[in-house]
Amino acid sequence: MTGPATIDAIQAEADTRRWLERAVIGLNLCPFAKAVHVKAQIHYAVHLPADESGLMDALLSEANELAAVDAAVRDTTLLIAPNTLADFLDFNDFLGRAERKLARAGFDGVFQLASFHPQFQFAGTEPDDIENATNRAPYPTLHLLREDSVSRAVEAFPEAEAIFERNIETLEALGPDGWAALDVGPGSARP
């Protein structure tokens, strides 16, 4: 996307928090999210410019900041880019470059990079298939997770590998109308 920023930081963060609370935690799509949310250990960062290189710099900056802070204070970071990488395929290409850049910066084995996008689509699915909603957020979002925290969470959750299948079942039961009723898209929050 080019041109001036169309979403401001306050709206982007409010929409992302609403999505996290209503969809991710509300539907229990990630059983690990509630604890860090309740403890206020999620850092929300917003990158407003429409440039990919600036987003890469912001990601590295956020990784450095996360590494410098104790996990009890900040366990994870959501970097929201409302005005960048609107096309999912461009976002997916960027994600590969971002993972390589993080590894070169010394964060391999320290952080995992998860991603969410409003147009997220699993390979082999149609754009409107409900299972794509498991990875759909209001805006392109890069999620930095501490490897140590992920390992502890997986140990505490007896069947972590079953999360994906359970999420698909949850979304299929909810259906497109149920997902729409959650009202977790861009501009849905009232900051």
Side-chain angles (χ1 to χ4, degrees):
M1 183 187 298
T2 59
T6 56
I7 302 293
D8 66 39
I10 293 169
Q11 186 70 55
E13 183 177 334
D15 289 342
T16 301
R17 285 178 184 271
R18 181 180 175 99
W19 162 76
L20 180 78
E21 291 167 357
R22 288 180 170 216
V24 178
I25 295 171
L27 297 175
N28 199 28
L29 297 178
C30 177
F32 318 122
K34 185 175 183 178
V36 292
H37 175 66
V38 169
K39 295 176 187 174
Q41 294 171 316
I42 301 171
H43 174 66
Y44 296 85
V46 180
H47 174 77
L48 289 176
D51 69 299
E52 292 180 30
S53 65
L55 180 58
M56 189 71 76
D57 292 343
L59 178 63
L60 289 173
S61 177
E62 291 299 331
N64 282 311
E65 286 182 31
L66 186 59
V69 177
D70 188 88
V73 175
R74 182 186 299 179
D75 194 55
T76 190
T77 295
L78 290 172
L79 176 56
I80 308 152
N83 304 309
T84 310
L85 297 167
D87 180 84
F88 175 64
L89 294 177
D90 291 343
F91 178 78
N92 208 32
D93 290 344
F94 178 88
L95 185 63
R97 293 191 307 275
E99 289 172 335
R100 290 188 296 277
K101 190 88 162 182
L102 285 169
R104 284 194 302 274
F107 294 115
D108 192 35
V110 177
F111 297 128
Q112 286 184 19
L113 185 60
S115 62
F116 303 93
H117 192 278
Q119 304 304 319
F120 185 92
Q121 183 177 348
F122 288 109
T125 65
E126 294 298 319
D128 292 334
D129 287 352
I130 192 66
E131 63 256 35
N132 293 319
T134 63
N135 287 60
R136 287 192 174 168
Y139 309 104
T141 302
L142 301 167
H143 185 187
L144 284 167
L145 300 110
R146 295 175 188 267
E147 287 272 357
D148 290 344
S149 296
V150 170
S151 295
R152 280 192 307 278
V154 168
E155 286 174 16
F157 195 81
E159 297 177 1
E161 67 281 352
I163 293 171
F164 178 75
E165 289 82 14
R166 191 195 68 231
N167 287 350
I168 300 301
E169 290 171 8
T170 298
L171 288 168
E172 286 176 346
L174 187 66
D177 291 339
W179 178 260
L182 289 174
D183 192 23
V184 293
S188 59
R190 310 295 175 251

